[in-house]
Amino acid sequence: MSINTDLLGLDSQDTLPVVSISASQSLKDSASSRVAISTGLTRLDEALDDLDQGRAGILRGQVAEVFGPPGAGKTSFALNIASQAIRDGGKVVWIDTGSPLPVHRLQAMTSNLDDVIYFRAHTLPHLLALLMRPPKGFPPEETSLIVIDSVSCLFPSYFPNAAELKDRLTQGKITDKAQLQWLLNRKWNVASELATHLARLAAGNIAVLAIDQTHTKIKGQPRATLYPVLAGGAWETNVQTRIVLYRDLPDARFAEVTKRNGKTLPVRTPELIVPFRIESDGLYEVETKDEIKSPDPTPSRKRKAEDEIADSQDEDSEAEYEWMENALLDSN
């Protein structure tokens, strides 16, 4: 396995820009030749193949996102796809933003670790620099998959959440309306820029798999609902495939396809939900109905509203900033 930790020498003459091409040109050039990387779960691959064209799995040339709560198996899911990409003869670029690559687990899935190129980007500027001003040879030739674990964990330390901004406004620490508007917009601007560059990388016939974390949303929802931390705007436009992972029982995990080939799908559709289990050497489908029960599409509210509110304190979706946008309008 190749490890590259030097992401600071980006001003040298060896840096190469990412070539920008239009989305229409990318689709035209690659639609007929796109190949898919299997997830290792046959039924999930079939759920991802919307046109039944034998391109089952994570499509190269697109950005895919997997999100879910802690312990749902996001890293294991990515490792399984990485092992499949290596078996198909491709190379895998794994970008670590805070969660070290579990080499022993990957080695249990595939012995060919020489085809894994490992980068560390422990700050958001490092990650953005790697993607926007990549060093020479990035991504390496024959790369078929790029995994970012995780794409969202670096954001909280750089962008204040809604509660922090509200406190600053209340305490008079923010008095300039232009500064408040900049604070409101900058996270989404950075996320949009990040998504754009991921799409450009994918345009080189590479599957980009972004692991996203979750927050709890209760506003406008019948019950507390998990949402990916990065969402909205250009992020939604550039993410073509979305898979949510969750646990319903201690040993029961589910993968649900909620977006496919750029189209958002109805949630809780049975054929789009695949139960699986995690073993030391990979992921395995649960074959019989006796082994596991499908999750209830309308589970009862077992927790009090106070608990849901406590869980959602870190929520920072665009809707959470409505009160500040109204404050800006009122002050005009």
Side-chain angles (χ1 to χ4, degrees):
M1 181 175 67
S2 173
I3 298 178
N4 189 330
T5 60
D6 183 11
L7 304 181
L8 296 176
L10 299 175
D11 292 328
S12 69
Q13 296 180 353
D14 291 336
T15 59
L16 295 177
V18 178
V19 178
S20 174
I21 62 175
S22 68
S24 59
Q25 184 64 36
S26 174
L27 288 172
K28 181 179 179 181
D29 292 344
S30 60
S32 61
S33 60
R34 261 186 208 150
V35 235
I37 302 174
S38 173
T39 63
L41 303 173
T42 303
R43 278 180 284 173
L44 184 59
D45 287 345
E46 293 172 353
L48 290 167
D49 187 9
D50 61 333
L51 300 178
D52 193 24
Q53 294 182 349
R55 300 182 301 183
I58 303 296
L59 283 179
R60 294 174 64 172
Q62 292 187 358
V63 178
E65 176 191 63
V66 56
F67 77 96
K74 299 185 292 296
T75 299
S76 296
F77 184 81
L79 288 172
N80 213 55
I81 297 176
S83 66
Q84 296 290 332
I86 293 172
R87 290 193 191 104
D88 292 341
K91 293 184 178 180
V92 175
V93 172
W94 190 284
I95 303 175
D96 155 27
T97 65
S99 302
L101 173 65
V103 178
H104 63 286
R105 293 173 60 188
L106 183 58
Q107 195 166 20
M109 301 177 188
T110 175
S111 58
N112 193 5
L113 296 185
D114 291 337
D115 289 327
V116 179
I117 299 90
Y118 181 46
F119 286 85
R120 293 190 182 100
H122 286 179
T123 69
L124 187 57
H126 277 79
L127 177 61
L128 295 174
L130 175 63
L131 300 177
M132 297 178 185
R133 297 186 61 192
K136 184 178 181 179
F138 180 88
E141 292 184 8
E142 300 179 359
T143 296
S144 61
L145 175 68
I146 296 176
V147 178
I148 305 177
D149 186 14
S150 85
V151 72
S152 59
C153 74
L154 299 175
F155 276 74
S157 59
Y158 287 90
F159 305 100
N161 60 32
E164 291 174 317
L165 286 179
K166 186 175 182 179
D167 288 341
R168 293 185 192 180
L169 187 64
T170 303
Q171 297 169 10
K173 295 180 178 179
I174 299 178
T175 57
D176 185 358
K177 289 182 292 184
Q179 180 189 11
L180 178 58
Q181 190 63 60
W182 180 76
L183 290 171
L184 286 171
N185 295 334
R186 66 176 187 147
K187 175 181 177 179
W188 310 114
N189 291 340
V190 172
S192 296
E193 191 73 12
L194 177 60
T196 299
H197 284 275
L198 291 180
R200 289 175 179 174
L201 281 174
N205 198 28
I206 296 173
V208 175
L209 181 61
I211 298 178
D212 202 350
Q213 297 172 317
T214 59
H215 61 73
T216 307
K217 185 176 182 180
I218 63 174
K219 186 174 182 179
Q221 305 296 320
R223 57 184 176 274
T225 306
L226 290 177
Y227 278 80
V229 169
L230 297 184
W235 184 264
E236 294 294 335
T237 301
N238 287 291
V239 171
Q240 298 294 302
T241 300
R242 177 173 284 135
I243 301 170
V244 55
L245 305 182
Y246 50 90
R247 301 178 69 169
D248 192 57
L249 297 169
D251 297 323
R253 290 176 170 86
F254 296 87
E256 179 178 357
V257 181
T258 60
K259 190 173 185 179
R260 181 178 59 193
N261 206 22
K263 298 178 182 178
T264 301
L265 305 174
V267 298
R268 300 296 184 176
T269 305
E271 57 266 27
L272 300 179
I273 301 175
V274 178
F276 67 95
R277 68 179 190 275
I278 298 176
E279 302 290 347
S280 60
D281 58 345
L283 273 57
Y284 294 89
E285 292 181 8
V286 176
E287 299 295 341
T288 66
K289 294 182 179 179
D290 294 335
E291 291 183 67
I292 199 169
K293 294 181 180 179
S294 297
D296 184 358
T298 55
S300 60
R301 296 174 64 93
K302 296 182 180 179
R303 299 191 301 165
K304 296 181 180 180
E306 291 83 357
D307 296 330
E308 295 177 349
I309 292 173
D311 284 350
S312 65
Q313 286 178 349
D314 290 334
E315 180 179 325
D316 57 355
S317 64
E318 290 169 319
E320 281 296 292
Y321 292 112
E322 289 179 358
W323 59 268
M324 281 189 287
E325 292 173 351
N326 293 333
L328 281 172
L329 291 174
D330 294 339
S331 62
N332 289 335

